[in-house]
Amino acid sequence: MKMITFATAAVLALSTPAFAKITTGTSVADMTVVDSNGASHNLSDFAGKRVVLEWTNEGCPYVKKHYNSNNMQDLQRDATADGAVWLAVISSVPGKQGHKDNVQVVNWTAQHDVAATAVILDEEGTLGHAFSARTTPHMYIIDEDQTLVYQGAIDDNSSSNPATIDGATNYVREALASLDAGEAVAVTDTQPYGCSVKYSR
Amino acid sequence: MRALFLTLLLWLTATTGALATSSLPIDTGKVEASLLSSHYTVAPGETFQIALKTELDDHWHTYWRNPGDSGEPVQINWTVPGTVTTGDIVWPLPAPIPTGPIINYGFEGAPLFPVDFTLAADAAIGSVIEVEADVYYLVCKDICIPENGTLRIILQVADESELNDRNAAAIAEAINVAPRALAIPAAMQANGAALSLQFSDLPAGDFSNAYFFPYDNTLLIHSDPQTVSLGESGIQIDTTASFGWGEGFSEPQQGVLAFDVKGVRTGRIVTIATGPALSVSVDSLLPTTSGASITLWGAIFGALIGGLILNLMPCVFPVFSLKALSLAKSAHGERKTARREAWAYAGGVFATFAVLVIALMVVKAGGAAMGWGFQLQNPIIVGLLALLLFAVGLNLIGVFDVAGGSYQGAGAGLAGKGGLTGSFFTGTLAVLVATPCTAPFMASAIGYALAQPIFFTVLVFAALAAGFAAPFVLLAYAPGLLTKLPKPGPWMVRLREVLAFPMFAAAIWLVWVIGNQAGVDGMALILLAMLALALAVWLLQRTGLWRWIGVVMIVLAMALPFAARTAPPSGSVDLSMEAWSPERVAELRAGGQAVFVDFTADWCVTCKVNERLVMKTDAVKQAFADTNTAFLIADWTNKNDMIARELESYGRAGVPLYLYFPSGDNVVKGQVLPQVLTVDRVVNMLKGS
């Protein structure tokens, strides 16, 4: 488990006005973030790999739905076993629900058996704003060519009730399967559901 | 046991009345929920209402049927006897609830959710109607909590119905203020990211802050502002399309259009079909923006900051810094004097802005389409300004002195006189030379100001003046600052001389503007005027008759610009550029070509900077060629009502404005680009990425 902390102001080459939505099909190759040590992480570092972004907030009932049922962790394990990079992003500002420091991330991942490749601490909300992440969970899939191929909900049942996971269509799983089969992703955009991301005002 | 329970409840109904037509409230945590029934007893075949009442803790909210960017709607699952049919929730009017950049649609306080029920005509008299509601809602403040509970209410079937007056009145009131259907013509079109909605034949009300809440949550981006343009026969709302348009909307869409009626927020359910834009004649009236866009406070703040920044503009800085030095001189003498001078300067700034605003409003009231920078659309005024800058330059470099020849006069001599009057006119001068330099981000504040009632216009311009005058006043009052300024000395003469050159540069620029406005003749006229002025100030240093000739020369110099006449444009634009007209845009787009419109003016510094650094770069030129995008120029250097109206329709009062109409769409409004362009931004936009 690797941890990346984006503490200071991150600079995004992909400028998005206000809180406009990033368009599916957009290349994210130029998206770079500079961390507190001045090291720059570029999404192109992951070129050739599939990247799944998951916005999360441990206290959110909709996140709990998918974590307490192990639905999210199963998906993380299946995706990473398949070679994907899974980044769980926490955009909660300090003091708000879901915010974690490095130690808390370690505890959380151990306790819930989180199988993400890395947890990103996006306290400034820079990554969140770049992707217009609105809810937890809010899912994004970037293909090997660095193109955003899916964004939206994890599945088609927007309830917070874990009982609704059975029988729901998991959009992320379907999209990953399509990519595996060398097909275009059928459902590329869905309305994300859940709690709002706890950005600073 | 159950029979006994029901009997007990019926007995309660009989004895306590009102209590039994409301369920016992349950506290689900942040919400106290209960059911209210309009009736004690219901007659067969009759319709009655039961409402879910939710009393929310302060600042907590629940969600509308379309919760917006996040959240989940209030849900009620009814269990009723077979003799009862259940209707839909009558949703109250939601409010947009912002959380950071996220917008939700929901409710605070104690919203009521009424539902119609109809009892079958063959229901047995004396039987009971047991209604059970499983309620579920997500309630959020900083965090979200899903809460649920079960509520029960029992009514009796009787020959004659009996109302619970209080509940019935509360429910009737809730239904009355809730949005109801309104059949009016409405259409929507998406073009790329842009979404336009038109509504016509509107009921009475104030639609300047209208807002559309769609039922479908994939129709528009909830967190983007909705810009309202008021037309003669309706309104147009411009916002951003969401991904639902990827497959299009074949069915007409419903939603709630919210507006104000006598100060009360009101909603109507409207049905909108995808189709050609309705003509609502938006040209004639000014747009207003609701949602997350600029507010009065935002405009005031923007104007304040803009005013501050203006002090750093190349044409203002010399005036400001020299005045500051003269203030320092006073400080080494008397602090009181410094303060008086600072206020006189501020007075000059305010007075000049006041004159400009009054002039602008008088001209606007006269029906002419005008915007900020209008002062510079007249070659006579530009000519006089050029002369003024030239004279200031001559003064700075020491060709003539008005208030004594020594360095002590530096600054004080700038505006003709020393002391308080001098400071006042320095303020005037500073504003005059600042007008061509309006900082880019002031544009929206000024655009806002000009589109508002007079009171707000005055407020915003007052803020602009305050920001402009603030550094100077601050200098006089902050105890440390004044003494920190370097001591006056001979070096001030050198500085003063150096600062003359930006003035000459600014004058040259204005002469070039005149050249574009009034042709070579006009330009020559101003240069002659400058010659006369230079001769005049030289003569003024002499004595006797020569001095009088000097005065005559000054009058002559001032008179010359009035002979300048607006000349038709020379038509020497680049081959790849064409003059703008709405018809030309329509024509090109009909031919399937993408169109870029550059609203510009020679006196607009931002426009020129964008032109040099972005529009004329090879990368951008190549992108225009590659994408076969037409480049139209709307030149506002001279007054042009058609251009002014177009700017207004985008909420702007000035240039620059950059519009892009992608090919192959029939959107009404172009995409608006930022006022400060970058090469990447333009290229990416043209290439559609």
Side-chain angles (χ1 to χ4, degrees):
Chain A
M1 178 73 54
K2 180 172 66 162
M3 234 175 314
I4 307 169
T5 311
F6 296 117
T8 49
V11 183
L12 284 153
L14 195 101
S15 70
T16 43
F19 200 62
K21 197 172 141 77
I22 181 170
T23 315
T24 311
T26 304
S27 170
V28 297
D30 286 342
M31 215 176 259
T32 55
V33 268
V34 181
D35 72 16
S36 54
N37 302 321
S40 128
H41 301 267
N42 196 313
L43 283 181
S44 62
D45 296 347
F46 301 117
K49 285 188 174 173
R50 215 171 277 162
V51 180
V52 181
L53 295 173
E54 170 212 344
W55 261 262
T56 192
N57 163 1
E58 191 191 2
C60 168
Y62 300 87
V63 172
K64 285 181 183 165
K65 163 189 170 186
H66 293 288
Y67 272 92
N68 292 347
S69 60
N70 276 318
N71 185 42
M72 189 66 84
Q73 296 93 316
D74 288 345
L75 191 55
Q76 290 166 346
R77 261 185 289 276
D78 292 349
T80 49
D82 206 26
V85 172
W86 186 295
L87 304 176
V89 187
I90 301 176
S91 292
S92 302
V93 292
K96 288 233 180 142
Q97 189 190 48
H99 175 260
K100 291 193 185 311
D101 61 26
N102 296 3
V103 176
Q104 287 167 325
V105 167
V106 173
N107 291 341
W108 172 64
T109 50
Q111 200 179 339
H112 287 87
D113 212 5
V114 177
T117 315
V119 176
I120 294 183
L121 303 181
D122 179 39
E123 286 181 357
E124 306 276 335
T126 321
L127 199 58
H129 279 85
F131 279 90
S132 310
R134 298 192 291 278
T135 61
T136 52
H138 194 164
M139 310 298 297
Y140 297 82
I141 302 175
I142 299 160
D143 73 5
E144 288 83 345
D145 300 328
Q146 302 271 283
T147 304
L148 184 63
V149 292
Y150 175 76
Q151 58 178 329
I154 180 168
D155 64 24
D156 65 352
N157 194 314
S158 63
S159 165
S160 65
N161 182 356
T164 60
I165 291 175
D166 271 345
T169 302
N170 190 308
Y171 293 126
V172 176
R173 202 173 275 285
E174 291 215 327
L176 291 173
S178 299
L179 292 176
D180 279 343
E183 295 163 4
V185 174
V187 182
T188 58
D189 287 270
T190 61
Q191 189 71 3
Y193 67 85
C195 310
S196 54
V197 175
K198 311 302 179 195
Y199 295 117
S200 63
R201 269 163 210 283
Chain B
M1 187 61 210
R2 184 178 161 89
L4 181 69
F5 174 70
L6 287 181
T7 316
L8 195 68
L9 269 169
L10 276 177
W11 177 76
L12 272 172
T13 315
T15 53
T16 58
L19 229 187
T21 48
S22 303
S23 72
L24 293 172
I26 56 168
D27 188 344
T28 56
K30 298 297 171 195
V31 179
E32 189 173 277
S34 56
L35 295 180
L36 307 181
S37 166
S38 58
H39 287 59
Y40 292 112
T41 60
V42 185
E46 204 179 19
T47 296
F48 59 102
Q49 289 89 31
I50 297 176
L52 167 65
K53 183 180 184 184
T54 52
E55 292 182 79
L56 279 61
D57 285 1
D58 282 352
H59 309 302
W60 289 79
H61 60 264
T62 53
Y63 296 91
W64 189 56
R65 53 182 299 163
N66 168 10
D69 282 337
S70 65
E72 208 178 344
V74 171
Q75 289 157 42
I76 315 174
N77 238 324
W78 299 97
T79 310
V80 292
T83 50
V84 172
T85 51
T86 311
D88 294 329
I89 296 177
V90 179
W91 290 92
L93 179 66
I97 301 173
T99 311
I102 287 161
I103 296 279
N104 287 120
Y105 298 154
F107 316 102
E108 291 184 356
L112 218 57
F113 302 92
V115 174
D116 267 355
F117 293 88
T118 307
L119 182 62
D122 58 357
I125 307 290
S127 63
V128 293
I129 308 168
E130 190 189 357
V131 177
E132 196 176 273
D134 284 317
V135 297
Y136 168 89
Y137 33 73
L138 182 74
V139 51
C140 298
K141 195 172 101 185
D142 290 339
I143 59 167
C144 296
I145 304 169
E147 294 183 0
N148 62 317
T150 304
L151 295 158
R152 275 181 207 87
I153 201 163
I154 292 170
L155 304 173
Q156 199 172 6
V157 181
D159 288 334
E160 229 173 278
S161 67
E162 193 189 339
L163 283 177
N164 175 330
D165 290 334
R166 219 176 59 186
N167 285 358
I171 293 171
E173 173 64 11
I175 292 175
N176 188 40
V177 299
R180 58 176 172 271
L182 174 69
I184 52 169
M188 58 182 178
Q189 313 84 37
N191 173 24
L195 176 64
S196 295
L197 310 124
Q198 299 90 25
F199 306 88
S200 69
D201 298 3
L202 298 166
D206 175 7
F207 287 81
S208 55
N209 287 309
Y211 192 92
F212 182 68
F213 298 94
Y215 282 180
D216 189 297
N217 63 6
T218 67
L219 187 76
L220 51 79
I221 304 273
H222 309 109
S223 45
D224 277 358
Q226 298 190 359
T227 308
V228 181
S229 305
L230 301 174
E232 273 165 4
S233 56
I235 59 167
Q236 173 162 313
I237 293 179
D238 288 287
T239 185
T240 316
S242 189
F243 64 85
W245 288 94
E247 288 166 22
F249 289 95
S250 48
E251 298 292 312
Q253 292 296 304
Q254 282 197 314
V256 169
L257 180 66
F259 54 98
D260 299 298
V261 178
K262 295 186 179 127
V264 179
R265 201 70 175 157
T266 308
R268 290 290 179 265
I269 300 166
V270 291
T271 305
I272 312 179
T274 315
L278 295 177
S279 167
V280 290
S281 315
V282 290
D283 292 351
S284 54
L285 285 168
L286 295 173
T288 52
T289 302
S290 77
S293 188
I294 191 160
T295 62
L296 176 61
W297 288 113
I300 287 179
F301 186 72
L304 205 63
I305 300 292
L308 275 174
I309 304 259
L310 272 183
N311 282 299
L312 298 176
M313 290 294 164
C315 27
V316 184
F317 190 68
V319 179
F320 170 75
S321 55
L322 285 174
K323 192 64 199 167
L325 287 174
S326 90
L327 200 65
K329 178 196 68 186
S330 320
H332 291 291
E334 222 181 316
R335 172 164 293 276
K336 247 197 201 151
T337 322
R339 291 188 181 168
R340 273 211 303 271
E341 284 201 26
W343 284 115
Y345 174 84
V349 170
F350 272 88
T352 316
F353 267 110
V355 169
L356 284 173
V357 170
I358 289 167
L360 184 57
M361 290 204 281
V362 166
V363 176
K364 264 186 102 75
M370 280 285 188
W372 188 244
F374 73 99
Q375 314 92 314
L376 298 177
Q377 288 177 345
N378 185 329
I380 297 171
I381 293 177
V382 179
L384 290 174
L385 261 181
L387 277 185
L388 177 69
L389 289 175
F390 181 58
V392 170
L394 289 177
N395 172 272
L396 291 177
I397 210 160
V399 172
F400 72 104
D401 270 312
V402 185
S406 73
Y407 63 82
Q408 273 114 14
L414 257 181
K417 283 183 185 175
L420 293 188
T421 327
S423 294
F424 183 88
F425 283 108
T426 312
T428 303
L429 178 68
V431 175
L432 288 182
V433 295
T435 46
C437 296
T438 29
F441 51 80
M442 276 168 57
S444 56
I446 290 175
Y448 173 87
L450 292 178
Q452 296 301 310
I454 288 177
F455 174 67
F456 294 113
T457 312
V458 169
L459 266 184
V460 172
F461 275 95
L464 184 59
F468 192 71
F472 208 72
V473 176
L474 227 67
L475 204 61
Y477 274 85
L481 278 182
L482 212 44
T483 45
K484 283 215 175 65
L485 285 177
K487 283 201 193 314
W491 63 270
M492 277 176 72
V493 177
R494 292 288 157 272
L495 177 67
R496 192 183 132 155
E497 284 167 7
V498 165
L499 288 177
F501 294 99
M503 283 295 169
F504 289 136
I508 289 172
W509 167 55
L510 285 178
V511 169
W512 176 75
V513 172
I514 294 164
N516 281 308
Q517 285 175 328
V520 175
D521 291 350
M523 206 162 148
L525 208 60
I526 299 304
L527 290 172
L528 272 177
M530 285 178 160
L531 178 69
L533 184 73
L535 188 59
V537 295
W538 179 71
L539 283 173
L540 283 176
Q541 309 296 311
R542 311 280 84 80
T543 50
L545 183 61
W546 290 114
R547 210 180 158 86
W548 285 108
I549 295 176
V551 172
V552 173
M553 292 297 286
I554 285 196
V555 174
L556 179 67
M558 305 265 283
L560 274 172
F562 288 90
R565 289 285 169 270
T566 308
S570 55
S572 64
V573 280
D574 282 4
L575 276 178
S576 55
M577 302 177 183
E578 280 188 72
W580 169 86
S581 73
E583 294 75 28
R584 186 65 187 144
V585 173
E587 205 178 321
L588 286 166
R589 297 182 65 208
Q593 211 176 344
V595 178
F596 181 90
V597 188
D598 177 2
F599 290 84
T600 182
D602 287 339
W603 39 262
C604 159
V605 177
T606 315
C607 307
K608 292 296 145 197
V609 170
N610 282 334
E611 202 172 288
R612 290 276 164 255
L613 298 183
V614 180
M615 302 316 293
K616 292 204 169 161
T617 57
D618 290 341
V620 168
K621 282 183 187 163
Q622 194 57 46
F624 268 98
D626 289 350
T627 56
N628 189 27
T629 302
F631 191 123
L632 300 186
I633 286 198
D635 189 343
W636 209 38
T637 305
N638 292 317
K639 189 171 167 310
N640 180 321
D641 287 356
M642 193 166 69
I643 292 176
R645 271 201 303 273
E646 187 76 2
L647 290 171
E648 270 183 357
S649 78
Y650 284 89
R652 293 288 173 77
V655 288
L657 171 67
Y658 302 101
L659 295 181
Y660 178 60
F661 301 86
S663 60
D665 281 305
N666 62 341
V667 71
V668 185
K669 293 277 179 200
Q671 297 172 20
V672 177
L673 274 77
Q675 289 184 314
V676 177
L677 296 175
T678 63
V679 173
D680 285 353
R681 168 92 202 185
V682 175
V683 171
N684 287 342
M685 176 201 72
L686 292 176
K687 299 201 164 162
S689 58

